[in-house]
Amino acid sequence: MSKRKLTPHLGWLFVVVVLVPGIVLSAIAMRSIGVEEIYIEKSIEKILFAEVSYVASRINSRLAEIEDDLSSSIDPPPLDRLKESFAQWEKTTPLVGVPFLVSPSSEILWPNYSQNLNDEEKTFLDWNRKFLSNEARIPVFENVAVAYKDDILQSTREQYLNLEPGKSLERVKGVADDYRGSSLSQESFASGSYSSADSSGSQNQVLAAQSAIQEFQSSLPIRKKVYEKAKEQGQNVLYRSVKVGQSLPSKQSESKDQESIFISELLNFSEITSRKDKGIIPRSIDGKLSFLFWKRISGGYVLGCVLSQEHFKDLILEMLPSVYSPSRILTLLDENGKPLIMPSEHSVVDWRKPIVASEISEVLPRWEVATYLSDPNMISSRARARELIMWILIVMLYASILSGGVVILRHMRSEIDLAQKKTSFVANVSHELKTPLTSIRMFTEMLKEKKDLAAEKKDQYLALMMSETERLTRLINNVLDFSRSSGAKKQYDFKVCDLVGFCRKCLEDERLRFESKGFKVVFNKSTDSLDLLFDQESLKQVLLNILENAEKYSPRIKEIELEVLKDNSSAVIQIKDRGVGINARDAKHIFKEFYRVDDSLTSSVRGTGLGLTIAKKIISDHGGDIQYQPREGGGSIFKIIIPIRRD
Ligand code: ADP
């Protein structure tokens, strides 16, 4: 398998196994970045909703407490001592404003025009006379989900029976279980109010109401249906004083008014008091709410009082935790959407647009527990921070995938290259061994067969055989040296010798072989003798490796020149040819093991890719170096530099 075929496979493998899953994962991550703001909004809404619902249910309990406390703060007064009894009541109970007493025949027994009325009592009568004496009806509020609980549960049952026949029974059973369940959901905050509204109802009725509230809150179609039915029945659907969530980026487009969970119905005083034995009636007078407490006493009389606004509000505000925290502002909004309490430190807040708000009770119609973000930019800045982290992670992921991939691919590629080079090395070595062997065999046969050969020819053949044998030896030495290079060190036999004479001898030994192949062989020297310390066998191996390359890679102009020079403290041997030369890109690699120039000029020539590697190793063991230079006019120059040492 060629290198070109193998590495693209690895590239594809990398793309399929690493890059594609990486891209898919980061696409998922990027999508999640897109919904990050909404996710943060949702989680903040959830936390705030829990707090708001908790506060609303606390206020409900406080309302029930107020009712109970007021009820027990006065005993039925004797009719002839109303003044004293009520005066006493007002004195002992700060919450009591103007007390009143209504007879079973709806006659206002107290306060009465026949007595000396103070200003408060006059105002009270002006506002409430007609209502208390059943001459006028006022809107009375009721939780719509409680009022229509039977319809809600019925349609829930139908919905499940129709849609999912298989699961329907289970679900209906679930609804039935909800009746029995004891835990209140977040939305069932109004439980306090409806349970007091339905105090005569059984436990089951209360739980059914809770369940109905849950279904009502969670299903838009049910909500629509119930409001329509309420309108049909002549009840008035109210709208909330706030637009919840509209300050959130994802909900800014929703501009519709939101329906209140409380609907109103016009009732007179007798109708109201006939349903329960005590209660608080909110009355809207001139756009402001005032609150009437009433309680039925023996004989069909109803006594009660106007609640002192300030005290009443204080008692309710006590139920609020701290208004300001670094993350949110929590307050109570009145029927006009105005905060009853404001934090001392707050940025500009649009009170009509809380993040989360909850209605409280039919006693406090259109009142809301509402929360706002202390820092309105919190969501977007948090989302931006998370987005940034996500991007950094994605970039890091890609950087590591790519750098890791490149390192692995490079490593594998070089491993594969090496494996392929080793394979072709084996093939090349066997071929290289065959060539001199064939020549030797050929000359041996010629010598054997042609007995009458001229002595000169015989010498020539023998010299050629000798040269081929040396070539064979050198080849085997190359292989042995290479196999030894990773293991034991090559042993050298350094001796002082004349380099000029030595180089001449080496070239002369090969001259015949080269000339028989058409080469012009030239020997040059700048000095007659040059003594230095070297290992003769090894240097011969170096010279022959380079000379043989000059022979192999010179297909057209066949010239080989060996030159010995003295350059300061170094001896220089230059072997020059007029062959194909080596381009600059390959020249950097030719001394690496197994490296062979892969172009049309050299690829047909057999070789092991070890000759120059071993030559370089030997010369560096002599403390010197081999360099390649392109030769002017074409060809190559290999320059062997050995420091002159004689000891
Ligand atoms: P090889 O057995 O292939 O000749 P070498 O290590 O001796 O191995 O040489 C490495 C490569 O350098 C050769 O494959 C060849 O491409 C190039 N090379 C070496 N000497 C010459 C030269 N004199 N002229 C052109 N190319 C050469």
Side-chain angles (χ1 to χ4, degrees):
M1 204 188 294
S2 81
K3 180 170 86 188
R4 276 186 188 77
K5 267 188 191 164
L6 197 67
T7 38
H9 276 154
L10 282 176
W12 281 115
L13 200 68
F14 175 71
V15 167
V16 171
V17 176
V18 181
L19 220 53
V20 170
I23 289 171
V24 172
L25 283 180
S26 42
I28 294 170
M30 280 177 208
R31 275 195 59 171
S32 77
I33 288 177
V35 294
E36 192 64 16
E37 208 168 43
I38 296 174
Y39 174 74
I40 296 175
E41 269 180 31
K42 287 257 171 296
S43 55
I44 290 177
E45 273 182 312
K46 215 170 167 185
I47 297 167
L48 295 181
F49 195 83
E51 188 179 22
V52 156
S53 303
Y54 171 67
V55 174
S57 71
R58 268 168 64 106
I59 294 176
N60 263 300
S61 322
R62 172 49 60 93
L63 288 171
E65 264 169 46
I66 292 173
E67 263 182 41
D68 290 345
D69 291 352
L70 280 171
S71 170
S72 55
S73 65
I74 183 162
D75 294 326
L79 289 179
D80 52 345
R81 295 190 54 210
L82 285 179
K83 192 174 179 176
E84 292 79 13
S85 300
F86 283 149
Q88 177 67 17
W89 193 25
E90 273 182 84
K91 218 170 114 190
T92 53
T93 316
L95 200 53
V96 175
V98 178
F100 67 83
L101 183 71
V102 179
S103 76
S105 56
S106 298
E107 191 189 338
I108 304 170
L109 301 178
W110 189 272
N112 192 309
Y113 285 109
S114 58
Q115 73 202 48
N116 271 344
L117 294 174
N118 60 28
D119 286 351
E120 279 178 338
E121 287 168 334
K122 269 187 202 154
T123 320
F124 171 79
L125 279 178
D126 285 351
W127 282 346
N128 295 301
R129 192 181 52 76
K130 282 191 169 178
F131 166 58
L132 293 179
S133 51
N134 277 346
E135 286 167 32
R137 291 167 185 271
I138 63 158
V140 173
F141 303 92
E142 194 178 4
N143 187 317
V144 70
V146 178
Y148 292 94
K149 65 177 185 297
D150 295 335
D151 297 77
I152 293 170
L153 294 174
Q154 180 62 28
S155 35
T156 313
R157 242 174 256 139
E158 276 167 16
Q159 204 174 322
Y160 286 108
L161 282 170
N162 291 343
L163 291 180
E164 293 168 84
K167 290 189 182 169
S168 57
L169 280 177
E170 233 171 84
R171 179 62 206 174
V172 173
K173 187 175 161 287
V175 172
D177 286 345
D178 284 348
Y179 288 31
R180 287 188 290 278
S182 58
S183 66
L184 288 181
S185 82
Q186 284 174 346
E187 287 89 352
S188 60
F189 55 82
S191 58
S193 55
Y194 71 71
S195 57
S196 64
D198 196 5
S199 59
S200 59
S202 66
Q203 177 76 359
N204 261 6
Q205 287 289 310
V206 173
L207 294 170
Q210 280 175 10
S211 194
I213 290 175
Q214 272 178 24
E215 297 293 342
F216 178 82
Q217 297 278 5
S218 58
S219 159
L220 187 66
I222 289 185
R223 271 211 299 281
K224 271 191 169 172
K225 224 165 134 183
V226 168
Y227 282 125
E228 265 163 30
K229 183 148 190 204
K231 280 181 193 161
E232 274 168 25
Q233 303 280 318
Q235 285 160 320
N236 190 15
V237 174
L238 300 176
Y239 289 92
R240 293 175 73 173
S241 58
V242 289
K243 296 192 169 180
V244 180
Q246 261 189 38
S247 54
L248 294 173
S250 67
K251 292 186 184 161
Q252 269 164 6
S253 53
E254 297 172 16
S255 63
K256 252 182 62 193
D257 282 339
Q258 292 162 353
E259 285 121 341
S260 164
I261 196 167
F262 300 112
I263 49 168
S264 72
E265 190 179 10
L266 293 175
L267 295 177
N268 65 28
F269 189 58
S270 302
E271 284 165 336
I272 298 169
T273 51
S274 62
R275 294 182 173 186
K276 303 192 286 178
D277 54 3
K278 63 176 181 293
I280 296 174
I281 303 168
R283 279 216 64 192
S284 178
I285 296 163
D286 290 349
K288 280 199 79 187
L289 277 183
S290 75
F291 301 91
L292 295 181
F293 166 73
W294 62 269
K295 126 178 185 180
R296 259 192 292 124
I297 53 175
S298 52
Y301 291 90
V302 176
L303 78 72
C305 65
V306 178
L307 297 187
S308 146
Q309 290 277 7
E310 261 175 48
H311 272 98
F312 184 59
K313 282 183 182 170
D314 283 351
L315 283 176
I316 290 173
L317 284 175
E318 274 173 16
M319 296 293 104
L320 243 58
S322 69
V323 176
Y324 183 86
S325 85
S327 56
R328 61 100 185 103
I329 294 167
L330 185 141
T331 189
L332 204 61
L333 301 179
D334 68 10
E335 64 280 5
N336 299 315
K338 291 218 177 75
L340 294 184
I341 184 165
M342 275 194 256
S344 49
E345 38 177 322
H346 68 88
S347 46
V348 183
V349 174
D350 183 351
W351 297 108
R352 297 182 67 82
K353 291 183 176 174
I355 300 291
V356 171
S358 163
E359 294 180 274
I360 306 163
S361 157
E362 53 259 47
V363 175
L364 301 171
R366 304 191 80 220
W367 281 37
E368 304 259 357
V369 181
T371 48
Y372 309 81
L373 291 180
S374 302
D375 169 15
N377 297 324
M378 184 179 81
I379 292 179
S380 49
S381 52
R382 265 201 210 179
R384 267 202 304 276
R386 286 208 201 176
E387 222 171 90
L388 189 72
I389 292 173
M390 202 72 120
W391 275 114
I392 291 173
L393 288 179
I394 288 176
V395 169
M396 278 168 65
L397 172 80
Y398 269 95
S400 57
I401 285 179
L402 288 179
S403 54
V406 167
V407 169
I408 291 170
L409 276 185
R410 274 190 166 188
H411 182 73
M412 290 181 85
R413 204 187 161 126
S414 67
E415 287 286 307
I416 289 164
D417 275 1
L418 194 66
Q420 283 166 346
K421 279 174 185 160
K422 281 183 178 167
T423 317
S424 60
F425 165 74
V426 174
N428 286 338
V429 166
S430 8
H431 182 271
E432 292 264 297
L433 288 173
K434 262 190 208 159
T435 319
L437 276 177
T438 318
S439 301
I440 294 168
R441 191 189 170 103
M442 187 183 79
F443 289 125
T444 323
E445 277 172 7
M446 275 160 66
L447 284 174
K448 194 179 159 198
E449 280 163 20
K450 298 183 183 172
K451 296 260 164 43
D452 53 342
L453 261 181
E456 195 186 328
K457 257 295 186 240
K458 261 188 197 167
D459 286 349
Q460 196 184 344
Y461 285 175
L462 284 171
L464 283 171
M465 281 168 69
M466 183 79 178
S467 159
E468 291 293 353
T469 318
E470 283 201 340
R471 200 173 145 202
L472 206 56
T473 316
R474 184 183 46 78
L475 201 71
I476 291 166
N477 280 346
N478 276 353
V479 176
L480 287 179
D481 281 358
F482 171 71
S483 63
R484 204 171 26 213
S485 64
S486 51
K489 260 195 127 196
K490 182 175 163 71
Q491 293 296 313
Y492 291 101
D493 181 15
F494 289 108
K495 277 185 190 142
V496 176
C497 179
D498 170 28
L499 186 71
V500 179
F502 175 78
C503 288
R504 179 188 285 124
K505 166 98 176 43
C506 287
L507 186 65
E508 288 313 316
D509 286 350
E510 296 302 307
R511 179 181 288 277
L512 192 62
R513 195 165 63 84
F514 289 147
E515 283 178 350
S516 72
K517 289 183 178 166
F519 276 88
K520 183 180 158 201
V521 180
V522 179
F523 178 76
N524 276 326
K525 57 182 182 0
S526 69
T527 168
D528 282 338
S529 71
L530 184 54
D531 286 348
L532 76 140
L533 196 69
F534 63 90
D535 176 276
Q536 294 186 16
E537 266 308 305
S538 304
L539 191 61
K540 187 171 183 181
Q541 194 179 344
V542 172
L543 293 180
L544 290 182
N545 281 353
I546 297 173
L547 285 171
E548 193 183 312
N549 280 350
E551 177 207 337
K552 282 199 296 191
Y553 302 110
S554 298
R556 286 189 296 120
I557 307 173
K558 298 180 181 269
E559 276 179 31
I560 294 175
E561 183 183 336
L562 194 154
E563 195 174 20
V564 185
L565 310 166
K566 184 170 180 287
D567 179 18
N568 298 329
S569 55
S570 301
V572 178
I573 307 166
Q574 296 197 117
I575 297 171
K576 307 175 188 175
D577 64 49
R578 287 280 173 209
V580 295
I582 303 168
N583 65 47
R585 193 165 52 86
D586 288 312
K588 282 187 264 171
H589 305 291
I590 51 174
F591 294 101
K592 290 181 187 162
E593 56 193 33
F594 300 120
Y595 191 88
R596 307 204 64 228
V597 179
D598 192 12
D599 66 22
S600 56
L601 293 172
T602 54
S603 55
S604 57
V605 182
R606 287 281 189 157
T608 57
L610 284 181
L612 290 179
T613 316
I614 284 160
K616 179 121 182 160
K617 172 89 177 57
I618 291 171
I619 296 303
S620 79
D621 287 346
H622 281 71
D625 193 20
I626 304 186
Q627 292 160 2
Y628 167 80
Q629 278 175 8
R631 191 175 182 189
E632 238 175 71
S636 309
I637 303 177
F638 282 89
K639 201 169 171 181
I640 304 166
I641 305 160
I642 306 172
I644 301 174
R645 277 175 46 214
R646 296 189 182 89
D647 51 359

